[in-house]
Amino acid sequence: MSTDVNEKFHTERSARIAETGAVRRDDGTYAATVWYDRGEAIGKDGLDTSLGSAALYSTTPAWHGLGNVIPGGITDIDAVLDLAGIDFRVERVPAFYWWRGELRQQDGKFHTVRDDTGAALGVVGAQYAPIQNRSGFEFLQELVNDFGVIWESAGALREGRKVFVSIRLPRTITIDVDGINDEITPFVAVINSHDGRSPFTAVVTPWRPVCGNTERFAVRDAYTRWTVRHTKSATDRIKEARRTLKLSIAYYEQWADEEAALARTNLAIDAFDRLVGELWPSKDDASARTVRADERRRDLLADMFTMEAQQIGRTAYTAERTVTDYLDHVAPRRPGKTMTQEIARATALLEGTDDEIKSRAHARLMRLRTV
C-alpha cells in the first residue's frame, strides 16, 4: 500500500470541501454551506494573506486550491521566496505599553516585526535573534543542487509567524515484504518561526507542507529532526544542518532496510506484551492508581497491535508502528496552564519527547532478528 499521505489528505479534504459546498472565510477557515454541516467550520488552511493573496508556492495543487502552483517546480531559492510570499525580513524592536497616559518601555522584551507589512509577530526576550527566511533556508539550495531535486513547497502561516519550505528527496523507499508494499516518499521540510514560540526546525518527513495542518503533520511524523534556538549564533549553527541532513538522508535509507527486516520478523502477542513491559516497566511500590493506568495502557496497546496486525500481519514492524502511533496520537499528556491536550501533544512531538522510547523499541525489536 502506498503511504503517500499528501495525496490521501488532498483527496479526503477536497471531497469534504466539495460535498459541503464549503467556502473560505477571512480567517482562513472553511464554512459548510449545505446539508447538516451548514455554517460549521470543516477546515482551516492557516495561510498568510496579508499581501492580498495566499502565501504559498507548490509543485502540486493543494486541497484548498490556493497559492502559486508551478508544475515541475523550480530550483532557484530567490524565485521560491518570491512566489511563496516569504521574501521579507524580520526586525526586533523594543516593546512599549501605555500606562495611565504614559508610554513606557518594557525592559528585556521586544516585538518581532515584518519589514514589509509592519505586522507584529510575537514578543521575545533579549537573547532572541531573528533567523531571516533566506539565510535560514539557503542551505537547502546546496541539497537541491547535490541531489538534482526541486523545491516542492514554500509558504507562510498566520501573518508570517511561521514560514516553511520543502524539497523532495530523489529516492522513494518501498518496504515490500509479504504484501505490505509500504511505499514512502521522503521530504526535507524546514520550518522557521518568528513569534518566539518554537525553534528553527528541519525534518525528514513523508509530508509536503501546503497549509497549517500539513506543516504540523510534517513535524509530527518526522523520521528525524534537527532544531536550533533563535540566538545570535543560530545562523552559524544552521550551516551544520547541511551535513546533518545529508547524514539523516543516509540514515533514512538504512532505516528503510531495517524496517524491511522487521517486517520479516514474526511477533506473537505475548512477545509484544513483553516489549510493552520493557518500555514501561511497573514499579513494585506503585500506587493502585498507577497500576490501573499501566493496565489500561497495556490493554490499549494490545488492542492497537491486534488491529494493525489484521492489516499487515503480526510482525516486529507492526509492533514498532503500534508503539509509534500510541506515542504520537494516543498517549495522554499533561498540558500546561495555557495548553490543550492537542498543543501539549504537538509540543512533545516537536521537542522529540518520546524519541528515546521509540529508539529503545526499535533497538529491542531489531535484536529479535538475532535471537
Side-chain angles (χ1 to χ4, degrees):
M1 60 180 175
S2 172
T3 54
D4 187 345
V5 290
N6 302 283
E7 181 180 345
K8 180 179 179 181
F9 184 81
H10 178 279
T11 300
E12 292 177 349
R13 186 54 61 91
S14 298
R16 181 66 168 153
I17 293 289
E19 71 184 9
T20 60
V23 295
R24 190 180 193 273
R25 297 188 289 208
D26 290 341
D27 63 355
T29 60
Y30 289 76
T33 61
V34 297
W35 308 112
Y36 66 91
D37 290 318
R38 179 185 291 264
E40 178 184 351
I42 63 168
K44 184 174 183 178
D45 56 59
L47 292 169
D48 169 40
T49 57
S50 57
L51 296 179
S53 61
L56 178 68
Y57 150 81
S58 179
T59 61
T60 306
W63 62 268
H64 43 63
L66 301 175
N68 292 307
V69 180
I70 310 295
I74 53 181
T75 58
D76 179 66
I77 183 174
D78 291 308
V80 168
L81 297 178
D82 178 58
L83 288 168
I86 58 175
D87 55 344
F88 60 84
R89 292 182 59 82
V90 174
E91 300 178 9
R92 196 187 74 169
V93 299
F96 291 91
Y97 64 97
W98 285 98
W99 176 253
R100 296 180 179 178
E102 177 185 0
L103 185 62
R104 297 185 177 184
Q105 180 177 344
Q106 186 176 6
D107 293 338
K109 293 296 182 182
F110 300 84
H111 290 290
T112 50
V113 179
R114 283 180 63 161
D115 71 342
D116 56 349
T117 66
L121 305 179
V123 178
V124 298
Q127 300 301 314
Y128 182 95
I131 298 175
Q132 303 302 337
N133 294 335
R134 195 188 194 290
S135 61
F137 297 148
E138 64 184 355
F139 78 93
L140 277 182
Q141 185 68 58
E142 294 192 28
L143 293 181
V144 169
N145 297 337
D146 291 346
F147 289 101
V149 296
I150 58 174
W151 296 88
E152 283 285 338
S153 67
L157 306 171
R158 298 187 298 116
E159 296 184 291
R161 289 176 174 84
K162 272 191 177 182
V163 293
F164 60 83
V165 296
S166 73
I167 63 173
R168 177 176 176 169
L169 299 186
R171 179 184 172 191
T172 297
I173 304 298
T174 301
I175 301 172
D176 190 9
V177 179
D178 295 333
I180 292 178
N181 193 28
D182 212 350
E183 186 177 275
I184 305 168
T185 301
F187 297 85
V188 174
V190 182
I191 302 126
N192 188 19
S193 70
H194 296 303
D195 59 4
R197 294 187 176 185
S198 56
F200 181 93
T201 303
V203 295
V204 179
T205 178
W207 288 95
R208 176 200 304 112
V210 293
C211 65
N213 287 324
T214 47
E215 178 268 328
R216 290 193 298 274
F217 298 161
V219 175
R220 181 194 69 186
D221 296 339
Y223 302 115
T224 185
R225 60 171 56 82
W226 181 91
T227 63
V228 61
R229 297 176 63 84
H230 290 72
T231 62
K232 291 181 179 180
S233 63
T235 302
D236 291 334
R237 290 198 59 207
I238 288 173
K239 295 177 182 178
E240 302 172 11
R242 180 177 67 255
R243 181 183 63 84
T244 303
L245 284 175
K246 282 186 176 180
L247 292 175
S248 296
I249 293 165
Y251 162 77
Y252 177 82
E253 296 182 349
Q254 175 187 343
W255 168 85
D257 292 338
E258 292 181 356
E259 294 301 295
L262 291 181
R264 297 187 183 96
T265 305
N266 293 327
L267 190 75
I269 185 65
D270 58 341
F272 179 74
D273 288 339
R274 288 195 296 273
L275 171 68
V276 172
E278 291 179 16
L279 297 177
W280 292 278
S282 299
K283 297 181 180 179
D284 295 336
D285 59 349
S287 66
R289 180 178 180 181
T290 299
V291 170
R292 289 193 298 270
D294 290 345
E295 291 174 349
R296 287 194 297 269
R297 178 173 53 231
R298 284 196 300 270
D299 291 344
L300 176 57
L301 281 161
D303 290 342
M304 291 176 64
F305 176 74
T306 300
M307 292 180 64
E308 189 76 14
Q310 291 174 355
Q311 301 294 321
I312 59 176
R314 292 180 180 271
T315 67
Y317 179 67
T318 306
E320 184 172 43
R321 282 179 52 155
T322 300
V323 171
T324 299
D325 286 346
Y326 171 79
L327 291 170
D328 288 351
H329 311 304
V330 180
R333 302 291 177 187
R334 292 183 179 180
K337 293 182 179 179
T338 60
M339 286 184 175
T340 63
Q341 275 275 348
E342 289 75 15
I343 294 175
R345 183 167 286 115
T347 299
L349 286 163
L350 183 63
E351 296 178 349
T353 301
D354 297 319
D355 284 357
E356 191 270 338
I357 297 179
K358 294 175 184 177
S359 295
R360 282 197 287 122
H362 181 80
R364 179 66 184 89
L365 291 167
M366 286 297 294
R367 287 199 299 272
L368 291 177
R369 298 172 55 243
T370 61
V371 175

